[in-house]
Amino acid sequence: MLNKKVENICNRQVEREGYSSNLYLAMASWAENQGMAGIALWLYAQADEEKLHMLKFIKYINERGGKAIIPAFKKPISEFKSAEDVFTQVLKHEEFVTASINEIVQVTLEVKDYTSHNFLQWFVNEQIQEEASARTIIDKLRLVGKNNMYIFDRDILGLRAASANANTNQTL
Ligand code: FEO
């Protein structure tokens, strides 16, 4: 039977993962309306992942004899200043989620619930990835801001591929 303290804090996480999904949907919708198709695609996929995270918690609580509660979600913000603003907020939010997961880990240790502790390790690792990918995108966006280096870099890559093709055709 799931410890009540662990059950309650896992239910808190159900709300946080579900809110994350809605937040990224709001960001995806904003990006789509701005014509940023690639960024919108990334954010829609991220929203799907967050929904899966929520489901993992729901199923875990129920499997262990607890009762998962589906909460109301607060409305996420829908206006952003720029793509960099979006990803700065993604990173800030992921850091908040990481701290939240760590709090649950702490509770499982306090009550000696090693099964839940083990369940949470997947999320501990996932948070490392999620923070890292948000940081990578912020770094790329800063390059765009500075002399369009990122686009320049892609152009050069394209030129190289085209000239390699031309050389291959000449030898045929
Ligand atoms: Fe499920 Fe991005 O934390």
Side-chain angles (χ1 to χ4, degrees), residues 17 20 24 46 50 53 94 97 123 127 130:
E17 299 291 346
S20 304
Y24 296 155
Q46 196 57 33
E50 298 300 351
H53 296 173
E94 289 303 328
V97 173
F123 286 92
Q127 283 313 117
E130 301 231 314

Side-chain angles (χ1 to χ4, degrees), residues 9 12-13 16 95-105:
I9 201 164
R12 184 184 78 172
Q13 197 63 24
R16 290 185 174 177
E95 286 170 345
F96 164 75
V97 173
T98 301
S100 182
I101 296 288
N102 288 342
E103 280 172 26
I104 311 176
V105 171

Side-chain angles (χ1 to χ4, degrees), residues 10 12 20 25-26 53 69 72 75 84 86 92-93 98 101 105 109 120 124 131 139 141 144 153 161 168:
C10 282
R12 184 184 78 172
S20 304
L25 270 182
H53 296 173
I69 308 290
K75 185 173 177 285
E84 195 174 330
V86 165
K92 202 170 143 221
H93 185 72
T98 301
I101 296 288
V105 171
L109 290 176
L120 287 162
V124 170
E131 284 191 25
D139 286 347
L141 282 167
V144 174
D153 188 48
T168 312

